[in-house]
Amino acid sequence: MRHHHHQQQNATAAGGNNEHVDDVDDNLQPSEDKSMGQQNIGEPVVETPQERPQTDMEQMKERFSKLLLGEDMSGGGKGVPSALALSNAVTNLAASVFGEQVKLGPMAPETKARWRKEMDWLLSVTDHIVEFVPSQQKTKNGTNMEIMVTRQRSDLLVNIPGLRKLDTMLIETLDGFGQEKEFWYVSKDDGQENENGQRDDKWWHPTVKVPVNGLSEMSRRWLQCQKESVNQVLKAAMAINAEVLSEIQIPESYIDSLPRNGRASLGDLIYKGITVDHFDPSQFLSTMDLSTEHKVLDLKNRIEASIVIWKRKMHQKDGRSSWGSGVSLEKRELFEERAETILILLKQRYPGLPQSSLDISKLQDNRDVGHAILESYSRILESLAFNVMSRIEDVLHADSLAQTSSPQKSETSPSSSDEDALRVSSSDTPTLSDFMGWGIASRRRSSTDLEIYFKGDNDKKLAKPPVSSTQKKSPNLEKLESLSGNRSPKGRD
C-alpha cells in the first residue's frame, strides 16, 4: 500500500522533491491505517460494541425499555398498555425458547438458563403489585396496635409459586428423557420413516423409532406414568388460566358485537341440541362436525357468546332493555349451565386450541398487569404440557404398532400389559386437587414423588383456591375433575 501511494503521488506531482512527497504520504498514512484496520502483532484486540455480547444488565434494560414504551419504538405514545406488553413478552419468550422443542429430551443448558433468567425478570413485576392487609404491631409501652401493611396481592401470592412449580415439573420431565435409549428420532428424509407407522394426523412431528419388538415393560410403564403426571400439570394450568380469564371484565366492544339472543349466536342446530329435554354433553359433541381446528374454534366462539348473552339476560332486572327475552329465567339458567359444560368439555378434549374471540378481546382490553402475567404464564405452561403429552403419545403409538406387528409380542397379549401399565400409572398419579395441594379431593395415596416435591413453605398458600379470595372450590376445577376424572385429553383430530 505504501508503495502504491508513492506511485500515485509521483504521477500527480512529477518533478516535485522527495521531501514534499514524504510529507503528503505521511499525512495520508493515519487515515490509511484507520480505514484498513491494521494492527500490530502483540497488541490486544479491541472489540467493537457490535461484537461484544450484551451483559445481563443491558439485556434487562432493553426488555424493560420496550415494555415501558408499550412496544412503540418511536416513543410517540401509540404503544399497547403495560399489561398487554407484558403478556406479549411472556408469550414471545416462550415461543423462542420452546418453539424448537420438537423432541422428548433435555433443553440445552444455555436455553434453560435464558428461560429462567428472563422469566425471573418478567415475574419480578409481580413483587411490587401489593394490597393492604391488617397487621398487629406492638408499641414501646407493650400495647398492641392494628396497622395496615402491604403484601403481595392475594391472587399472585397463591398462583405465582404454583405456576413456578408446574414450570419446574415440566422442565424436569424433559430432563428425565436425557438417558432414554429405547426410542429415538429420525429425520423426515429417512427412507424408512413409516416403518413404525408415523401418525398421519401428526405428520409435522419428527418420526419416532422404537425397537422391533417394542418398548420394554418397564419403559412402557414409566412413559405412562410420565404422561399422567404431565396431564395433571396440564389440568392445573388450564384451571388457573380459566379462573384468571373469568376474573377479567368482558369489554363493551365485545358485548356490542353480539346478537340479541343466544339462538342467533348458536344457530338453529346447536340451539336445538342444547335446549332438548334430555341433554347429554358427550352425545351433543358427537353430533357436531369437529373435524378441523377451525370448526372446533368456531363452536367454542359461538358457545362463549351465548353464555355471555344468557348471563346478561339473567342479570337484567327490567324488561325495557333490548336484551330482554320471553324465555323464563329458570330455562335460561339451565341452558347457560349446559353451554358451560360443553365449553369445559371442548377445552379438555382440545387443549391446544388457539385463543377464542372472547379471550382475545379480554386480553386486548385488560389493564390489570397481575392478571396479564398470570394468564400468559399459565397459558404457555398449558401449551408446553400439551406438547410434551403429544410427544409421549407419539412414542406410545409407535410402541403399540411395533407390538402388533411383532410375532413375539402377539403371543403374549399386549393389551393386558397396556391395561396393567395404565392401572399402575393411574393409581400412582395424584388428582388435580392433590397435585396442586388445594385439598379438595381426598388423597388416593400416602406418599409419592409428586407429593414430596410439592411440600414446602407454600403448601398453606396453595391450599387456597386460585385467584378468588374466598374459600369456595374453583368451579373450573370442579368441572374439570367431574368431567375428565383422570383421563388424558384427546389429541386434535
Side-chain angles (χ1 to χ4, degrees), residues 9 18 30 38 56 60 69 74 108 133 146 176 208 246 248 262 358 382 393 395 404 411 426 479:
Q9 188 67 29
N18 291 337
Q38 292 179 349
D56 287 353
M60 186 167 62
L69 292 170
S74 70
V133 294
E146 187 177 86
V208 184
S246 69
I248 301 177
L358 176 58
E382 177 185 334
E393 287 172 351
V395 178
T404 304
E411 298 174 358
S426 62
K479 291 178 180 178

Side-chain angles (χ1 to χ4, degrees), residues 1-12:
M1 285 294 295
R2 196 171 179 83
H3 178 67
H4 175 68
H5 278 292
H6 278 297
Q7 287 179 339
Q8 287 183 332
Q9 188 67 29
N10 292 334
T12 55

